[in-house]
Coordinates of all heavy atoms in Angstrom, one line a residue:
A12 N 5.1 -72.0 241.2 CA 4.7 -72.0 239.8 C 3.4 -71.4 239.6 O 3.1 -70.8 238.5 CB 4.7 -73.5 239.3
E13 N 2.4 -71.5 240.6 CA 1.1 -70.9 240.4 C 1.1 -69.4 240.6 O 2.0 -68.8 241.2 CB 0.1 -71.6 241.4 CG -0.3 -73.0 241.0 CD -1.5 -73.4 241.8 OE1 -2.5 -72.8 241.7 OE2 -1.4 -74.4 242.6
S14 N 0.1 -68.8 240.1 CA -0.1 -67.3 240.2 C -0.8 -66.9 241.5 O -0.7 -65.8 241.9 CB -0.8 -66.7 239.0 OG -2.1 -67.3 239.0
H15 N -1.5 -67.9 242.2 CA -2.2 -67.6 243.4 C -1.2 -67.8 244.6 O -0.3 -68.6 244.6 CB -3.3 -68.6 243.6 CG -4.3 -68.7 242.5 ND1 -5.2 -67.6 242.2 CD2 -4.5 -69.6 241.5 CE1 -5.9 -67.9 241.2 NE2 -5.5 -69.1 240.7
R16 N -1.5 -66.9 245.6 CA -0.7 -67.1 246.8 C -1.0 -68.4 247.5 O -2.1 -69.1 247.2 CB -0.9 -65.9 247.8 CG -2.2 -65.9 248.6 CD -2.2 -64.7 249.5 NE -3.3 -64.8 250.4 CZ -4.5 -64.3 250.3 NH1 -4.8 -63.7 249.1 NH2 -5.5 -64.3 251.2
P17 N -0.2 -68.9 248.4 CA -0.4 -70.3 248.9 C -1.8 -70.5 249.5 O -2.3 -69.7 250.3 CB 0.7 -70.4 250.0 CG 1.8 -69.5 249.5 CD 1.1 -68.3 248.9
Y18 N -2.3 -71.7 249.2 CA -3.7 -72.1 249.7 C -3.7 -73.6 250.0 O -2.8 -74.3 249.6 CB -4.7 -71.7 248.6 CG -4.6 -72.4 247.3 CD1 -5.1 -73.7 247.0 CD2 -3.9 -71.7 246.3 CE1 -4.9 -74.3 245.8 CE2 -3.7 -72.3 245.0 CZ -4.2 -73.6 244.8 OH -4.1 -74.2 243.5
E19 N -4.7 -74.0 250.8 CA -4.8 -75.4 251.2 C -5.7 -76.1 250.2 O -6.7 -75.5 249.6 CB -5.4 -75.4 252.6 CG -4.5 -74.7 253.6 CD -5.0 -74.9 255.0 OE1 -5.9 -75.7 255.2 OE2 -4.4 -74.3 255.9
L20 N -5.4 -77.4 250.0 CA -6.1 -78.2 249.0 C -7.5 -78.7 249.4 O -8.4 -78.9 248.5 CB -5.3 -79.3 248.5 CG -3.9 -78.9 247.8 CD1 -3.2 -80.2 247.3 CD2 -4.2 -77.9 246.6
P21 N -7.8 -79.1 250.6 CA -9.0 -79.8 250.9 C -10.3 -79.0 250.4 O -11.2 -79.7 249.9 CB -9.0 -79.9 252.5 CG -7.6 -80.1 252.8 CD -6.9 -79.1 251.8
P22 N -10.4 -77.7 250.5 CA -11.7 -77.1 250.1 C -11.9 -77.2 248.6 O -13.0 -77.1 248.1 CB -11.4 -75.6 250.4 CG -10.5 -75.6 251.6 CD -9.5 -76.7 251.2
L23 N -10.9 -77.6 247.8 CA -11.1 -77.7 246.4 C -12.1 -78.8 246.0 O -12.8 -78.7 245.0 CB -9.7 -78.0 245.7 CG -8.6 -77.0 245.9 CD1 -7.4 -77.2 245.0 CD2 -9.0 -75.5 245.9
S24 N -12.1 -79.9 246.8 CA -13.0 -80.9 246.5 C -14.2 -81.0 247.5 O -15.0 -81.9 247.5 CB -12.3 -82.3 246.5 OG -11.7 -82.5 247.8
K25 N -14.2 -79.9 248.4 CA -15.3 -79.9 249.4 C -16.0 -78.6 249.3 O -16.8 -78.4 248.3 CB -14.6 -80.0 250.8 CG -13.9 -81.4 251.0 CD -13.3 -81.5 252.4 CE -12.6 -82.8 252.6 NZ -11.4 -83.0 251.8
G26 N -15.8 -77.6 250.2 CA -16.6 -76.4 250.2 C -16.6 -75.6 248.9 O -17.6 -75.1 248.5
L27 N -15.4 -75.4 248.3 CA -15.3 -74.6 247.1 C -16.1 -75.3 246.0 O -16.9 -74.6 245.2 CB -13.9 -74.5 246.7 CG -13.6 -73.3 245.7 CD1 -13.7 -72.0 246.4 CD2 -12.2 -73.5 245.2
L28 N -16.0 -76.6 245.8 CA -16.6 -77.3 244.7 C -18.1 -77.4 244.9 O -18.9 -77.4 244.0 CB -16.0 -78.7 244.6 CG -16.3 -79.5 243.3 CD1 -15.9 -78.7 242.0 CD2 -15.7 -80.9 243.3
L29 N -18.5 -77.5 246.2 CA -19.9 -77.5 246.6 C -20.6 -76.2 246.3 O -21.8 -76.1 246.1 CB -20.1 -77.9 248.0 CG -19.8 -79.4 248.4 CD1 -19.6 -79.5 249.9 CD2 -21.0 -80.2 248.0
G30 N -19.8 -75.1 246.3 CA -20.4 -73.8 246.1 C -20.6 -73.1 247.5 O -21.2 -72.0 247.5
D31 N -20.2 -73.7 248.6 CA -20.3 -73.1 249.9 C -19.3 -72.0 250.1 O -19.4 -71.2 251.1 CB -20.2 -74.1 251.0 CG -21.3 -75.2 250.9 OD1 -22.4 -74.9 250.4 OD2 -21.1 -76.3 251.5
A32 N -18.3 -71.9 249.3 CA -17.2 -70.9 249.4 C -16.8 -70.5 248.0 O -16.9 -71.3 247.1 CB -16.0 -71.4 250.2
D33 N -16.3 -69.3 247.9 CA -15.7 -68.8 246.6 C -14.2 -68.7 246.6 O -13.6 -68.3 245.6 CB -16.4 -67.5 246.2 CG -17.9 -67.7 245.8 OD1 -18.2 -68.7 245.2 OD2 -18.7 -66.8 246.2
E34 N -13.6 -68.9 247.8 CA -12.2 -68.8 247.9 C -11.7 -70.0 248.7 O -12.5 -70.6 249.5 CB -11.7 -67.6 248.6 CG -11.9 -66.3 247.9 CD -11.3 -65.1 248.5 OE1 -10.7 -65.3 249.6 OE2 -11.3 -64.0 248.0
P35 N -10.5 -70.5 248.5 CA -9.9 -71.6 249.3 C -9.6 -71.1 250.7 O -9.7 -69.9 251.0 CB -8.7 -72.0 248.5 CG -8.2 -70.7 247.9 CD -9.5 -69.9 247.5
D36 N -9.1 -71.9 251.5 CA -8.4 -71.5 252.7 C -7.0 -71.1 252.4 O -6.2 -72.0 252.1 CB -8.5 -72.7 253.8 CG -9.9 -73.1 254.2 OD1 -10.8 -72.2 254.1 OD2 -10.1 -74.2 254.7
W37 N -6.7 -69.8 252.5 CA -5.4 -69.3 252.3 C -4.5 -69.7 253.4 O -4.9 -69.7 254.6 CB -5.4 -67.8 252.1 CG -6.3 -67.3 251.0 CD1 -7.5 -66.7 251.2 CD2 -6.1 -67.5 249.6 NE1 -8.1 -66.4 250.0 CE2 -7.2 -66.9 249.0 CE3 -5.1 -68.0 248.8 CZ2 -7.4 -66.8 247.6 CZ3 -5.2 -67.9 247.4 CH2 -6.3 -67.3 246.8
V38 N -3.3 -70.1 253.1 CA -2.3 -70.5 254.2 C -2.1 -69.3 255.2 O -2.1 -69.5 256.4 CB -1.0 -71.0 253.6 CG1 0.0 -71.4 254.7 CG2 -1.2 -72.2 252.7
R39 N -1.9 -68.1 254.6 CA -1.8 -66.9 255.4 C -2.5 -65.8 254.7 O -2.7 -65.8 253.5 CB -0.3 -66.5 255.6 CG 0.5 -67.6 256.3 CD 0.3 -67.6 257.8 NE 1.0 -68.6 258.5 CZ 1.4 -68.6 259.8 NH1 1.1 -67.5 260.5 NH2 2.0 -69.6 260.3
E40 N -2.8 -64.7 255.4 CA -3.5 -63.6 254.8 C -2.6 -62.9 253.8 O -1.3 -63.1 253.7 CB -3.9 -62.6 255.9 CG -2.7 -62.0 256.7 CD -2.3 -62.8 257.9 OE1 -2.7 -63.9 258.0 OE2 -1.6 -62.2 258.7
E41 N -3.2 -62.1 252.9 CA -2.5 -61.7 251.7 C -1.2 -60.9 252.0 O -0.2 -61.1 251.3 CB -3.4 -60.8 250.9 CG -2.9 -60.4 249.5 CD -3.9 -59.8 248.6 OE1 -5.1 -59.6 249.1 OE2 -3.6 -59.6 247.5

């Protein structure tokens, strides 16, 4: 349903939200 390719959820409340990353951990490369 989403427009983004598959990604992992943990960084959403950790590194991404902290500002340590600008992308999530993608399940596989593009």
Side-chain angles (χ1 to χ4, degrees):
E13 287 196 61
S14 60
H15 304 289
R16 77 178 190 269
Y18 57 88
E19 301 185 8
L20 296 184
L23 305 190
S24 59
K25 300 179 176 69
L27 198 72
L28 195 60
L29 286 164
D31 295 337
D33 291 321
E34 292 188 356
D36 293 338
W37 305 105
V38 178
R39 298 283 176 154
E40 61 273 14
E41 189 168 5

